[in-house]
Amino acid sequence: MKFTMLPDVWKETIDQLTERGHEYLPFEGAVPDGCEFIVFNGTAADFPESLPDSVGFVHTHFAGVDGLVKAGYLKPGKLRWSNAQGLYADTVAESTLGLLLGVTQMLRTAITTGSWDAAETMHENKRWLFESTVAVIGAGGIGSAIVPLVKAFGAKVIAVTHSGREIEGADESLSMDEFEWDSADILITVTPLTKDTYHMVNEESLKKMKDSAIVINVGRGPLVDTDALTEALTSGEIAAAGLDVLDPEPLPADHPLWKLENCIVTPHVANTNPVIRHRTGLAAAASADAFEKGEKMPTEVDVARGY
């Protein structure tokens, strides 16, 4: 199949696709005629206003397509979409565990204190996963990869999905309607961003949590109401947070979250660019193979649901 890539051209991706027999057509201000699929690695502002009729599908290098949905590009019609759902489950799960352990082991306290004086506070306040109930909210590809990692430390795991389907390895599998915010010591949010999940962690849900609760967000920034979370951390309404994704991004350098001792912020690096560039071509090739056969693509986006 003939394809183009925009707005950035990654040699690794082009090489992976051409090695599998696909033909690269350079993007020069417009999607070239005859192009059959697009590998897209930009934001909604970068997406072409018009496409040739020959384009059958678009593959994105990210899992979250909410920006494209909001801009009106993902809608029922001829054009199909595939994304990176599950492609980075291992890397994001590992980063989640690192962020979670950084919070429970109070690494920020040790670093910011910069002396042995941190010992007494850490002795009294460090947390342990083997004593914890962890709720993984959004147990899709990434969430399902997180489950065995925290289970290995002896945690009890509640897996929460839209449908409540059984998640392998979890102690409980619940729907979002069944889940109670005060049932977990640690809440890890990794759901897609939709109108139903926007600000799911908000003033109301934070008030329902234990005052010892820890919130970890590695899904999408707007899953968490940043202002409400900041207030909850400052007032002691919850104990701590670890955040790799935020709203807004980038988080301003003068934002109070950077200075709170009970919050660790990382700059959206749960998955890194070298991994993305290495894996995108392989995922796009799998989508192209299925598309040519008239099959559903492995990571085809349900346009109606927005993920």
Side-chain angles (χ1 to χ4, degrees), residues 189-270:
T189 52
V190 67
T191 66
L193 179 61
T194 68
K195 59 181 176 58
D196 294 324
T197 62
Y198 177 80
H199 282 189
M200 65 189 306
V201 176
N202 54 37
E203 183 178 0
E204 181 181 355
S205 57
L206 287 161
K207 287 184 184 302
K208 293 177 181 178
M209 295 180 196
K210 300 177 181 180
D211 59 10
S212 58
I214 294 171
V215 171
I216 305 291
N217 188 17
V218 291
R220 302 289 287 166
L223 296 176
V224 176
D225 181 334
T226 303
D227 291 341
L229 180 67
T230 303
E231 175 59 30
L233 290 169
T234 303
S235 67
E237 192 167 76
I238 67 168
L243 310 167
D244 183 63
V245 289
L246 296 109
D247 183 22
E249 284 191 7
L251 188 69
D254 61 352
H255 196 281
L257 283 177
W258 290 113
K259 296 180 174 62
L260 291 180
E261 191 171 294
N262 58 346
C263 183
I264 294 178
V265 176
T266 54
H268 205 147
V269 290

Side-chain angles (χ1 to χ4, degrees), residues 80 285-298 300:
R80 293 162 60 185
S287 291
D289 290 346
F291 185 88
E292 280 193 295
K293 295 174 183 175
E295 299 172 354
K296 181 180 179 180
M297 295 179 286
E300 185 151 351

Side-chain angles (χ1 to χ4, degrees), residues 19-20 23 42 46 58 95 124 132 165 179 194 221 280 298 305:
E19 286 169 5
R20 286 160 177 75
E23 181 183 347
D46 301 309
V58 178
S95 294
E124 296 301 321
S132 300
R165 70 184 185 281
F179 176 65
T194 68
T280 293
R305 296 175 70 180

Side-chain angles (χ1 to χ4, degrees), residues 7-224:
D8 299 318
V9 176
W10 294 338
K11 183 178 183 302
E12 302 97 320
T13 301
I14 302 299
D15 289 348
Q16 288 169 340
L17 285 164
T18 55
E19 286 169 5
R20 286 160 177 75
H22 302 290
E23 181 183 347
Y24 173 59
L25 303 177
F27 177 81
E28 297 176 345
V31 177
D33 291 335
C35 178
E36 295 169 282
F37 71 93
I38 297 169
V39 181
F40 182 66
N41 58 7
T43 67
D46 301 309
F47 199 75
E49 292 185 5
S50 62
L51 302 176
D53 291 339
S54 56
V55 176
F57 77 93
V58 178
H59 177 82
T60 70
H61 76 297
F62 40 73
V65 294
D66 46 279
L68 293 164
V69 172
K70 186 176 181 180
Y73 292 118
L74 265 78
K75 55 188 177 182
K78 174 192 169 188
L79 186 65
R80 293 162 60 185
W81 294 77
S82 63
N83 65 0
Q85 181 183 2
L87 190 62
Y88 316 120
D90 54 349
T91 54
V92 177
E94 183 174 334
S95 294
T96 303
L97 183 61
L99 189 59
L100 174 57
L101 291 174
V103 173
T104 58
Q105 297 298 301
M106 298 182 67
L107 298 188
R108 179 171 181 133
T109 298
I111 293 166
T112 56
T113 302
S115 75
W116 210 262
D117 292 342
E120 183 176 353
T121 298
M122 294 178 70
H123 272 297
E124 296 301 321
N125 296 289
K126 276 180 65 168
R127 300 275 293 276
W128 303 99
L129 292 182
F130 68 79
E131 296 177 335
S132 300
T133 297
V134 178
V136 179
I137 303 177
I142 294 170
S144 295
I146 293 170
V147 170
L149 295 185
V150 294
K151 286 284 289 182
F153 287 84
K156 175 186 175 181
V157 177
I158 303 172
V160 184
T161 60
H162 177 75
S163 64
R165 70 184 185 281
E166 196 75 21
I167 300 299
E168 183 178 355
D171 296 284
E172 290 185 71
S173 298
L174 303 175
S175 70
M176 198 65 229
D177 290 338
E178 296 171 317
F179 176 65
E180 296 181 356
W181 291 98
D182 63 354
S183 63
D185 303 295
I186 297 165
L187 300 97
I188 301 174
T189 52
V190 67
T191 66
L193 179 61
T194 68
K195 59 181 176 58
D196 294 324
T197 62
Y198 177 80
H199 282 189
M200 65 189 306
V201 176
N202 54 37
E203 183 178 0
E204 181 181 355
S205 57
L206 287 161
K207 287 184 184 302
K208 293 177 181 178
M209 295 180 196
K210 300 177 181 180
D211 59 10
S212 58
I214 294 171
V215 171
I216 305 291
N217 188 17
V218 291
R220 302 289 287 166
L223 296 176
V224 176

